[in-house]
Amino acid sequence: MFYLSNTPEETFNLGKKTVAGLRGGDILTLSGELGAGKTVFIKGLASGFGIKQTVRSPSFNLMKIYKLPEQKNIKHLVHLDCYRLKSAQEVINIGLLEYLGAPNTVCAIEWPEKIAPLLKKFKIQKIKISILKNDRRKISLN
Ligand SMILES: Nc1ncnc2c1ncn2[C@@H]1O[C@H](COP(=O)(O)OP(=O)(O)O)[C@@H](O)[C@H]1O
Ligand SMILES: [Mg+2]
C-alpha cells in the first residue's frame, strides 16, 4: 500500500493517523534518503500519541524516549535515528534493547539498515519514503 504526499503536513498527518493502528511492542522502520521526511512522519506519530514536547531529529543524541500520556497501554514512544551510528553496539550501550519490542513501547527507527542484525528477530512495519519531485513523496507502508 502506498500514499502520495504533496506537503510536509500531509506526511505529518499520515504519521498521525498511523497511530490508530499501532499496538505496544510495534516497531516501525523508516527508510529513505536524507530529507525524505522520515522525521516529519515520526513527528506526526508523536502528535497522534498526544505528545506535546517538540520532536526533533535525534541525529545528535541517537535515541529519544517520549513518555506518553496515559493511553492505549503504550507508555513510551522511542525515536531512534541510526544515521551517524558506527556500530549496532552503540545502541545496545544506550539501552535500546530494553525498549525494542517491549509490550508498552512503540519504536520508530530511522536508518534501520545500520542495526539490521538487532531487528532480525522482530516483525517490523516498514515505511519507505521516496522523493518524487520537489515536495512530492511516495510513502509505502507494509
Ligand atoms: N511531502 C513532504 N513530506 C515530508 N517532508 C517534506 C515534504 N515536502 C517537503 N518536505 C521537507 O523535507 C524535509 C524532510 O525532513 P526530515 O523529515 O528531517 O527528513 P529525514 O528525517 O527523512 O532526513 C523537511 O524540510 C520538510 O519540510
Ligand atoms: Mg530524520
Side-chain angles (χ1 to χ4, degrees), residues 28-43:
L28 279 69
T29 60
L30 293 105
S31 309
E33 62 186 280
L34 267 185
K38 302 180 294 296
T39 300
V40 169
F41 186 96
I42 294 170
K43 287 178 181 188

Side-chain angles (χ1 to χ4, degrees), residues 2-139:
F2 71 89
Y3 297 89
L4 292 172
S5 164
N6 291 298
T7 62
E9 291 73 29
E10 282 182 28
T11 301
F12 179 96
N13 285 329
L14 186 60
K16 191 167 178 173
K17 275 199 289 185
T18 301
V19 167
L22 292 177
R23 295 195 309 183
D26 283 351
I27 301 170
L28 279 69
T29 60
L30 293 105
S31 309
E33 62 186 280
L34 267 185
K38 302 180 294 296
T39 300
V40 169
F41 186 96
I42 294 170
K43 287 178 181 188
L45 279 181
S47 165
F49 275 125
I51 293 166
K52 300 279 188 284
Q53 241 173 303
T54 310
V55 176
R56 293 198 182 80
S57 171
S59 289
F60 296 95
N61 44 8
L62 194 56
M63 181 163 79
K64 275 286 276 184
I65 299 162
Y66 297 93
K67 277 212 177 67
L68 267 52
E70 292 302 316
Q71 136 183 10
K72 292 182 78 183
N73 303 321
I74 303 174
K75 291 211 161 48
H76 306 107
L77 171 67
V78 173
H79 180 190
L80 190 71
D81 184 340
C82 300
Y83 183 60
R84 286 164 204 280
L85 208 67
K86 295 200 178 58
S87 81
Q89 188 62 41
E90 285 176 55
V91 287
I92 296 174
N93 293 348
I94 60 171
L96 174 68
L97 299 187
E98 276 174 52
Y99 294 99
L100 199 63
N104 63 3
T105 301
V106 166
C107 291
I109 305 174
E110 300 184 49
W111 301 97
E113 48 276 30
K114 297 274 188 104
I115 59 164
L118 298 182
L119 298 177
K120 246 191 325 214
K121 68 171 178 175
F122 296 101
K123 191 166 170 288
I124 306 286
Q125 300 181 42
K126 293 181 183 152
I127 298 164
K128 166 115 186 68
I129 309 181
S130 317
I131 302 179
L132 298 180
K133 206 177 167 200
N134 304 325
D135 287 358
R136 268 172 88 74
R137 304 289 190 269
K138 179 179 177 182
I139 304 177

